[in-house]
Amino acid sequence: MTDLVLTGLRKTYGDFVALDSTDLTVEQGEFLTLLGPSGCGKSTTLAAIAGLDVPSGGRITFQGRDLYNAETGLCLPPEARNFGVVFQSYALWPHMTVEKNVSMPLELRRVPAAERRARVAETLELVGLAAFARRYPGELSGGQQQRVALARAIVFKPPLLLLDEPLSNLDAQLRLQARSWLKDIQRSLGLTTIYVTHDQEEALAMSDRIVVMKQGRIVQMGRPEDIYGTPLHPFSAQFVGSANLLEAELLSVGDDGLARVRLPNGPEILGHAPLPLTGAGPVSLVLRPERIGLAPVAGPGPVNEIIVQAGAVSYLGEGYEQVLDLAGQSLRRKGERAMTEGPGRIQVAAADLLVFRKD
Amino acid sequence: MAASSALRATDGGRSQAVQWLIWLVTAVLMLAPALPILLQVFVDRPLYDSGWQYGFGNITALLTSPAFGRALLTTLVFAALTVVIAQAIGIFAAIVLGRTDLPGRSLIGGVLMWPLYLSHLIFAVGWLIAYGPSGLVTQFATQIAGGAPWTLYSVLGMAVVAGVSQAPLAYLYCLYGAVKSVDPALESAARTVGAGPFAVLRRVTLPLMLPSIVTSAALNLIIAVETLSIPLFLGRPAKIETISTQLYMLGVASSTPQYGLIASSSLLLIVLVAATLMLQRLILRHSHRYETVKGKGVRTAPLRLGPWRWPLALAMWAFLALGVIVPVICIVLRAFTSFLSPLIAPWHVLTLDNFRQLFGNATLVRSIGNTFFVSIAAAVIATLLAVMIALVVQRSNFRLKGSLEALAYSPRVIPGMITGIGVFYAAIVLPPMGWLRDSLWILVIAYVMAALPLGLGVIQPAVAQISADLDKAARSSGADWLAAMRRVMLPLLRAAMAGSFVLLFVSYLKSYVIAIFLMAPGLEVMGVSMLTLWTNGEVGVTAAFASLQILGIAVFLTAARILMGVKLYD
C-alpha cells in the first residue's frame, strides 16, 4: 500500500533551485533512504515532508490526504502532520529530563497521565535507556542522546518516521552499532521510514530502497543491490562505491548493448551500455576500482586487455589501492595485490565497463 | 504556481492571534507617542487648543532663531569632545586591561565601570562637589596655586565629565567586542611572521577593534547629544546652552511652554540621532572584513609591560582616583556634613541633617516609592514584551515580523526626554489615554517604550543562541507555535530574562530624563527630584539622595549577582 506521494515537488530560493519537480512514492512499512552529497535536495525534501519548510510548488499526500498542495494553497503545519522527526543535532530540550523529553509529545496529545507514564517507560525500555529516565540530556553521551531523540520521535506511534542524518554525529564504531540497532527497531515496529544521509554505506546497509539525488534532482532509485550493481547514471556509480569515471568517444553500439569506444589518445575498448545509446559522440565510462583484474578473466562476454602505467600504492589493510594512468586519465584500482610501478596490463570485462551518454 | 509563492507556513490560529496582538501592542506603544510630536511640528498652537492651523511656522521659527543656532553648534562641539575623551580612555583601557600583565587589572576594570551604574546626574553632582568653583578639591588647589586653576563651567569641562562617565561604554564594547573575542591565532599568526608584540597590537588587534570603536562612538555621541544634567548643571551657570537644556527651559522651566518649538527641536534631535546611526551603518558596511572566527586556540600570554608595569598601574589608579573615586567620595562626604571646606576637617561638621530633611519631606519620600514601583513594573513589562517580540521576529512565520522589529527598535532614534514629551502629547491628544495623566502608569509606559531596544539587545542574542532545531522538534512533536514557545523557548530564556530585568531596572532607577516632561504632583521619581533639588541649590539634600541611590544600586546589583547569578556587562 502506498503511504506517501510527492508530485512535482519544487523548492526554490530566489533563482536557486534546491529541489526540481520531484516525484516519489513511499510504500507502507518501507525504509527509504534519500542519498546524496550536501546541497542535493535530500534535506529539503525531508523538511517539506515534515512541514518544517514550505515548498515552492507541487503536492504532498499521505494516505490519500493532502499535506501540501500548491494548487489549493494548503500547507499543514508540522504539528498537524503527526510525523516523528529525528534531527541531526538530536534537538533534545536541555531543560527537561529524558523522561520529560519523551513524554512531551504525549502531553501535547492530551494522553492521560497513567497511560503516558506507561508508554514513556515502554519506549525508554525499547531504546535501552530505562535507567536514564531522570537524567538531563547534557548528562548523556552522544549515542544515548541519539536514542532519546529516537524515543521522542516514536513514542506517539507516528505513521511515518523521518530521520535527518541521525548517525552523523557519532564516532565510527558507535555508528556501526547504531545502524543495526536502528534498523531492528524500525523493522520490529513496521514503521514507514524516510532516512536522509550522505553516507553510502549506511544507505546500502539499511534501506529497502535508495533514492540517489544530485543538484535537486533524483538520479536513480532502486534496491541497494540495483544501485550498486547496475547504476543507471555515472553519478550513482561514482557516489555509491566511488567508481572511476573516464572520458571517451563512442564509435558504435550493438543491439545487445555492447559498445565500442575509443579513449582519447588511447586504445579502442568494449563496454556495456545499460541505457539505450545511439550514434556517436562523447560518453562517460564508469569502472569500479575492484573490478579491475590483473589475470585474464574467463566469463561471459568479451574482456579488454589494456596497457596502463602503474603508479603510487596505498595499503588499506584488506588490500591495496593503486593509482593507474590510462592514456593520460587517472584510475584507481583496488585488489589483493598491487602491480609493480611502471607499465603493466589490466583486464576489464566489457560488462563491468559501463558506458553513459555524457551529461 | 501563483498560489504557491503567496503560501507561507502557518503557526496555527491561536498562535497567529497572539502574534497579531503582540504586533498591535508594539505598534500602538511606539506610534502613539511619536505621531503627536510630528503633528505638533506642523500645527501652530498647542495640540490641546482648538482651531489648528497647519504650516511650517514652527520650523522656520526654530531655524531662524540665533539662540538655537548657537545651541546646535555648542551641542555638536560638546558631543564631539565627549566622544573623543570617552573613546580615548575606553580603547586604551580595553587594550591595557585586556591584553597586558598590568598589576591589579581586574580591580582597575571594576572601578572603571562605576560611572556606568551611576547616572550622569549623580556623576555631575559628584564632580561639582569635588571640582566645581567652590568644590573641595578646587579650594585645595586654589590655596596652593593662589587662583582657580580650572573651571568646570565650560564646554571642555562638560565634555571631560561626560567623557569620563561614558568611557565604560567604549571600554566594554572594545573589550568584549574585540580584545577578548579576537581569535588568538590571528595574533599568534602575526607573531610567527615576525611582528613584535606592539606591532601586533597596532597592526592586528587595533584594526580588528574598528567595528567596536565605531559602534560605541556612535552610542556615546547619541548619549552626549541627549544628556541634560551635565549641560544644565555645568553649562547654564556660564550661559552655555545646548539643545537639551533649551528643550528643558522651553518645556519644563517655562511657565508658558512653547510646544511648537519643543516639537521642532525634538524632531531635529531625532534627525541628528538617526543620522548618527546611519553614518555608523555606512562606516560598518564592510564589517565582515573584521569578523573573526573564534578559535579554540590557547589565549596568547598577556603582553609583558616590563619596566612600564608599575608606572602605568600608578597612572591608571591616579586617573581613577581623580575621575571616579574622588567624586563619589565627595558625594557621600557632603551627604553627611553641613558643608565641605579644606579649612575644616569633615568630622567637625558631621551631621545627619541632610537625611533628616530628606526623610522629612513627604514628596521626596514618595518619589523613592514611586521610583521603585515604576522601575519594577516597567522592567517586568519591557522584559516580557522584548521576549515576545524577539520570539515572533526570530522564531515565527508571522507576516509582519519585519515591521515588528523596526517598530520595536524605533526608540533608538528617539532621545529619552522626547519619549517623555511624546507620551505626554499622546495622553493629551488621544482621549482613551487621558486617564493616564495622573497615574504612575504613564511613566511605566514611557519607560517601557524608551528602553525596549535595551531589553531586546539582551534577549535577541540569547534567542539566536538557541538552536532552531529545538522548536522545530517541538513543532513536529505536536506543539503549535505558541506551545513550542511556552514549553521550550521560555524556560531556556530564563537567564536572559533575568539579565534583561536587572539591566532595565538599574537603568530605570537612575533615569531622570524620560520622566522630566511627565512630572505632575504625585508622580515624582528620584532622578527628577534630585534635578530639582540641585537646581534649587539644595546641595546637601541632593548629595544625601544621591548617596541613597548609589547604595540602592550597589545593593541591588550585589543581590542580583548572588541570588539570580546575573552579572551585568560580563
Side-chain angles (χ1 to χ4, degrees):
Chain A
M1 202 182 114
T2 304
D3 252 6
L4 185 77
V5 182
L6 313 185
T7 323
L9 194 68
R10 289 189 318 118
K11 176 69 187 182
T12 52
Y13 298 95
D15 287 339
F16 176 73
V17 180
L19 191 65
D20 196 2
S21 192
T22 297
D23 299 308
L24 186 66
T25 59
V26 184
E27 303 295 317
Q28 189 160 25
E30 186 178 22
F31 193 115
L32 180 94
T33 298
L34 304 179
L35 175 68
S38 62
C40 73
K42 57 190 194 298
S43 293
T44 307
T45 311
L46 199 79
I49 298 168
L52 295 170
D53 201 357
V54 184
S56 312
R59 188 174 177 191
I60 305 172
T61 63
F62 185 72
Q63 296 180 343
R65 195 168 59 108
D66 266 351
L67 300 182
Y68 166 76
N69 189 336
E71 305 272 291
T72 60
L74 172 95
C75 183
L76 284 187
E79 65 269 20
R81 302 193 181 197
N82 202 31
F83 297 158
V85 182
V86 176
F87 292 80
Q88 183 173 11
S89 62
Y90 311 140
L92 299 180
W93 301 306
H95 58 300
M96 300 180 189
T97 59
V98 166
E99 196 171 33
K100 191 89 175 97
N101 261 281
V102 178
S103 126
M104 176 118 121
L106 301 178
E107 286 171 35
L108 288 163
R109 284 168 178 73
R110 306 196 189 286
V111 174
E115 188 191 339
R116 209 163 64 209
R117 272 194 297 277
R119 273 169 67 180
V120 168
E122 179 191 323
T123 311
L124 286 179
E125 192 71 43
L126 180 71
V127 299
L129 285 179
F132 298 87
R134 310 234 168 232
R135 297 263 194 107
Y136 282 87
E139 302 161 1
L140 300 179
S141 72
Q144 290 164 336
Q145 289 183 19
Q146 192 262 329
R147 287 164 180 239
V148 179
L150 183 73
R152 187 179 64 186
I154 61 176
V155 69
F156 57 99
K157 300 198 165 63
L160 180 63
L161 181 62
L162 306 170
L163 302 133
D164 188 3
E165 311 231 11
L167 307 183
S168 62
N169 285 332
L170 302 179
D171 57 45
Q173 186 86 45
L174 213 53
R175 196 153 56 212
L176 226 58
Q177 290 171 12
R179 203 195 273 171
S180 58
W181 170 82
L182 191 62
K183 180 67 188 165
D184 281 347
I185 288 189
Q186 184 265 338
R187 201 178 291 138
S188 67
L189 297 177
L191 262 173
T192 311
T193 301
I194 300 178
Y195 188 95
V196 161
T197 185
H198 65 266
D199 182 329
Q200 45 126 348
E201 271 186 49
E202 247 169 63
L204 291 172
M206 301 170 76
S207 320
D208 296 323
R209 207 150 54 98
I210 296 175
V211 177
V212 182
M213 299 183 72
K214 181 196 180 189
Q215 289 171 1
R217 288 166 182 274
I218 293 179
V219 166
Q220 186 177 0
M221 30 185 172
R223 298 183 306 129
E225 293 85 343
D226 298 335
I227 299 282
Y228 187 87
T230 39
L232 295 180
H233 191 281
F235 179 76
S236 334
Q238 230 187 342
F239 196 76
V240 182
S242 48
N244 292 300
L245 208 59
L246 296 170
E247 312 258 310
E249 194 74 29
L250 180 66
L251 300 175
S252 66
V253 193
D255 292 338
D256 50 358
L258 202 62
R260 179 170 291 278
V261 298
R262 191 212 309 275
L263 293 161
N265 314 316
E268 276 180 28
I269 50 178
L270 288 172
H272 169 74
L275 296 175
L277 206 59
T278 50
V283 286
S284 301
L285 305 183
V286 167
L287 177 58
R288 296 212 176 274
E290 61 275 21
R291 294 301 177 90
I292 300 175
L294 296 183
V297 258
V303 175
N304 301 293
E305 187 178 70
I306 309 167
I307 296 175
V308 293
Q309 199 73 24
V313 180
S314 345
Y315 180 55
L316 298 180
E318 74 267 24
Y320 293 90
E321 187 176 71
Q322 189 164 25
V323 181
L324 311 176
D325 182 278
L326 201 181
Q329 301 196 60
S330 171
L331 277 179
R332 282 173 306 109
R333 174 186 171 272
K334 275 185 189 169
E336 277 179 26
R337 56 192 186 84
M339 300 166 70
T340 42
E341 283 191 39
R345 286 163 195 280
I346 56 171
Q347 311 281 333
V348 177
D352 287 334
L353 194 72
L354 304 175
V355 185
F356 294 97
R357 170 84 50 221
K358 203 164 174 344
D359 271 336
Chain B
M1 287 303 147
S4 67
S5 58
L7 191 64
R8 351 172 98 252
T10 59
D11 294 319
R14 178 171 83 129
S15 305
Q16 276 173 318
V18 171
Q19 291 163 0
W20 275 105
L21 190 69
I22 293 170
W23 186 87
L24 208 67
V25 167
T26 311
V28 169
L29 186 65
M30 296 305 154
L31 296 179
L35 295 181
I37 293 183
L38 259 180
L39 187 63
Q40 177 69 80
V41 172
F42 300 104
V43 170
D44 68 330
R45 61 201 67 198
L47 288 182
Y48 49 75
D49 280 355
S50 51
W52 294 357
Q53 298 285 318
Y54 297 95
F56 296 94
N58 292 325
I59 294 178
T60 40
L62 185 73
L63 293 183
T64 51
S65 143
F68 172 75
R70 270 199 308 276
L72 181 63
L73 189 68
T74 310
T75 305
L76 293 180
V77 171
F78 160 66
L81 279 174
T82 302
V83 170
V84 169
I85 294 170
Q87 298 307 107
I89 300 171
I91 296 166
F92 181 76
I95 292 178
V96 170
L97 299 179
R99 222 59 203 87
T100 69
D101 61 347
L102 192 79
R105 49 190 183 277
S106 68
L107 196 61
I108 293 176
V111 175
L112 186 65
M113 296 287 289
W114 283 10
L116 201 62
Y117 306 121
L118 309 175
S119 63
H120 269 177
L121 196 150
I122 290 184
F123 213 65
V125 167
W127 270 72
L128 282 172
I129 294 176
Y131 307 112
S134 53
L136 185 61
V137 181
T138 316
Q139 292 183 45
F140 259 125
T142 311
Q143 284 181 347
I144 297 163
W150 61 73
T151 170
L152 270 191
Y153 289 175
S154 64
V155 174
L156 184 64
M158 286 156 54
V160 168
V161 178
V164 173
S165 103
Q166 283 166 226
L169 200 67
Y171 165 68
L172 270 181
Y173 268 79
C174 294
L175 185 69
Y176 290 105
V179 174
K180 284 203 173 171
S181 69
V182 167
D183 184 350
L186 292 176
E187 292 174 355
S188 308
R191 297 293 292 270
T192 61
V193 296
F198 288 97
V200 171
L201 268 186
R202 195 167 55 80
R203 287 167 179 254
V204 180
T205 315
L206 205 56
L208 284 172
M209 287 169 76
L210 191 66
S212 304
I213 293 173
V214 171
T215 308
S216 55
L219 280 177
N220 274 335
L221 191 70
I222 293 169
I223 296 174
V225 167
E226 300 178 1
T227 188
L228 173 64
S229 55
I230 291 174
L232 192 65
F233 294 175
L234 277 64
R236 270 194 72 78
K239 304 220 168 1
I240 301 169
E241 292 270 8
T242 61
I243 298 184
S244 61
T245 57
Q246 251 187 1
L247 263 174
Y248 175 76
M249 297 319 286
L250 282 175
V252 179
S254 153
S255 50
T256 52
Q258 310 216 8
Y259 287 111
L261 283 183
I262 295 172
S264 334
S265 346
S266 302
L267 188 68
L268 189 103
L269 265 190
I270 292 177
V271 169
L272 269 182
V273 172
T276 308
L277 288 175
M278 268 167 63
L279 189 69
Q280 175 207 342
R281 281 209 169 174
L282 205 66
I283 295 174
L284 294 184
R285 70 191 183 285
H286 296 304
S287 61
H288 63 272
R289 289 183 196 161
Y290 308 99
E291 268 167 26
T292 61
V293 182
K294 267 194 195 179
K296 282 184 188 165
V298 186
R299 165 61 60 211
T300 43
L303 258 174
R304 302 177 70 114
L305 291 170
W308 288 96
R309 280 183 84 203
W310 291 104
L312 201 57
L314 215 63
M316 300 275 292
W317 275 116
F319 162 74
L320 287 177
L322 291 176
V324 180
I325 299 173
V326 166
V328 171
I329 288 179
C330 279
I331 291 179
V332 178
L333 218 53
R334 185 64 183 81
F336 288 98
T337 52
S338 42
F339 65 96
L340 280 181
S341 161
L343 303 175
I344 299 171
W347 50 86
H348 290 305
V349 283
L350 274 185
T351 173
L352 286 175
D353 270 355
N354 295 322
F355 288 93
R356 244 175 248 131
Q357 231 179 311
L358 172 60
F359 287 109
N361 183 330
T363 314
L364 295 182
V365 174
R366 185 170 57 213
S367 78
I368 298 176
N370 286 350
T371 304
F372 274 87
F373 169 78
V374 171
S375 302
I376 290 173
V380 168
I381 294 174
T383 297
L384 292 179
L385 190 60
V387 168
M388 289 190 277
I389 290 171
L391 289 180
V392 172
V393 168
Q394 292 169 271
R395 285 326 226 298
S396 84
N397 297 300
F398 183 54
R399 202 176 292 269
L400 298 178
K401 60 186 182 184
S403 66
L404 180 63
E405 188 168 26
L407 280 170
Y409 275 105
S410 63
R412 288 215 313 163
V413 298
I414 305 180
M417 201 192 320
I418 293 163
T419 306
I421 298 174
V423 171
F424 172 71
Y425 279 162
I428 293 174
V429 179
L430 305 172
M433 288 176 82
W435 65 274
L436 277 173
R437 257 182 288 173
D438 304 318
S439 155
L440 279 174
W441 287 101
I442 196 170
L443 291 176
V444 174
I445 289 176
Y447 279 27
V448 168
M449 178 193 173
L452 194 58
L454 198 61
L456 278 169
V458 179
I459 303 288
Q460 281 208 320
V463 173
Q465 287 210 331
I466 299 173
S467 160
D469 279 357
L470 290 186
D471 45 311
K472 284 184 184 170
R475 296 296 297 275
S476 48
S477 291
D480 64 358
W481 181 80
L482 202 60
M485 295 302 118
R486 198 170 56 79
R487 285 170 179 256
V488 174
M489 297 301 283
L490 279 190
L492 291 174
L493 286 172
R494 258 188 298 218
M497 282 157 77
S500 158
F501 174 81
V502 170
L503 181 65
L504 291 174
F505 180 78
V506 170
S507 80
Y508 291 148
L509 207 60
K510 63 183 207 186
S511 158
Y512 61 96
V513 276
I514 306 171
I516 273 183
F517 274 83
L518 297 168
M519 274 310 100
L523 304 190
E524 303 82 4
V525 291
M526 287 165 81
V528 181
S529 298
M530 264 187 262
L531 191 87
T532 317
L533 282 173
W534 179 268
T535 43
N536 290 346
E538 304 265 14
V539 180
V541 187
T542 313
F545 218 168
S547 306
L548 270 187
Q549 191 174 324
I550 294 172
L551 181 73
I553 289 178
V555 167
F556 177 76
L557 285 177
T558 313
R561 186 176 285 212
I562 293 168
L563 297 179
M564 291 193 265
V566 173
K567 285 172 92 179
L568 278 195
Y569 315 113
D570 218 19

